[in-house]
Amino acid sequence: MSLTDDSKEYNILIKKLFRCAQHINTNDAIQLPQICVIGDQSSGKSTTLTALTGVPFPTAGEMCTKCAIRVKCSRDEDLVEDVFTIIVNKVSKPIKKEELCNEITNIQNQLTGNKKTISKDVINIEVKGPNQMEIILIDLPGIIHAGKDGLGNDIRDLINNHIKDERTLILNCTAATNDDELFETLDIISAHDLDGKRNIRVLTKFDKFNSDSDI
């Protein structure tokens, strides 16, 4: 995939910011551009992220995302294919693409004690490849609608904490088969993005329509 002149200029600028951030110890010194991906449980978040980054996120099971998963993508035209690295507790290791999905699941289960809960820890993944773009995406746990207490509130707090920064773009995945009033993400976003200038809505699961009358 070739880059336009604007894209090339963006890539050069972001690469410089990435290099600066690596040499600064204070995490808040440089706020790098990032996209937070939110949605209900089983809304197609993980599938969307896989399409954007090439990272095979877990998609099977009731609760696939149990903590924030931060994916840093970098373009390297010297590479023939994507190269993946996973970082947990500041320990990094290269990993094959076909092993990533199971590794993400195993780490999440370790962080949560294999329970139906979430962790405030962050799994970091770096992917470099010839067709990648310099960007950071964060996958967040899907919203649970069965009650406002306990786990549901913990998930909402985690989402609010990640999307509140004005420099963060919000990617809102919503199933096309459901009505708007069912999506709590729309209310969460409106509390942080009053002008609607930093969120993008992605409609998913068009293949789930049973007939033309469902549209």
Side-chain angles (χ1 to χ4, degrees), residues 4-129:
T4 64
D5 290 340
D6 287 343
S7 297
K8 289 179 180 178
E9 185 176 345
Y10 168 84
N11 266 12
I12 292 171
L13 176 61
I14 296 300
K15 280 185 177 180
K16 290 179 180 179
L17 284 175
F18 281 173
R19 286 198 296 268
C20 289
Q22 290 174 351
H23 296 285
I24 297 176
N25 293 327
T26 304
N27 292 332
D28 295 330
I30 296 180
Q31 179 67 36
L32 296 173
Q34 64 181 23
I35 299 174
C36 282
V37 185
I38 68 172
D40 292 342
Q41 256 191 8
S42 303
S43 63
K45 291 189 302 89
S46 298
T47 301
T48 301
L49 268 167
T50 296
L52 290 172
T53 66
V55 174
F57 285 85
T59 56
E62 189 177 71
M63 190 172 179
C64 300
T65 307
K66 296 183 176 182
C67 66
I69 303 174
R70 181 180 182 268
V71 183
K72 177 184 173 184
C73 301
S74 300
R75 189 180 185 91
D76 188 338
E77 296 181 350
D78 292 330
L79 295 172
V80 177
E81 58 184 16
D82 289 342
V83 175
F84 302 88
T85 303
I86 193 164
I87 306 108
V88 181
N89 295 326
K90 298 183 179 180
V91 177
S92 63
K93 68 173 183 178
I95 188 167
K96 296 179 180 178
K97 180 177 182 178
E98 57 268 25
E99 298 173 353
L100 254 178
C101 185
N102 285 337
E103 185 70 7
I104 292 171
T105 298
N106 291 337
I107 292 172
Q108 289 190 122
N109 288 337
Q110 291 172 13
L111 293 174
T112 61
N114 207 23
K115 297 178 181 178
K116 187 178 178 180
T117 185
I118 62 169
S119 171
K120 293 183 179 179
D121 292 288
V122 179
I123 298 175
N124 287 278
I125 298 172
E126 293 183 357
V127 50
K128 296 180 180 179

Side-chain angles (χ1 to χ4, degrees), residues 2-3 84 128-129 137 166 171 179 187 205 211:
S2 60
L3 293 177
F84 302 88
K128 296 180 180 179
L137 299 104
E166 294 181 355
L171 196 64
D179 295 327
D187 293 329
K205 301 200 172 185
S211 66

Side-chain angles (χ1 to χ4, degrees), residues 193-211:
D193 184 22
L194 299 178
D195 298 326
K197 294 181 177 179
R198 61 181 183 93
N199 79 85
I200 298 175
R201 186 174 177 185
V202 177
L203 294 176
T204 62
K205 301 200 172 185
F206 281 95
D207 59 320
K208 298 300 182 181
F209 284 111
N210 294 320
S211 66

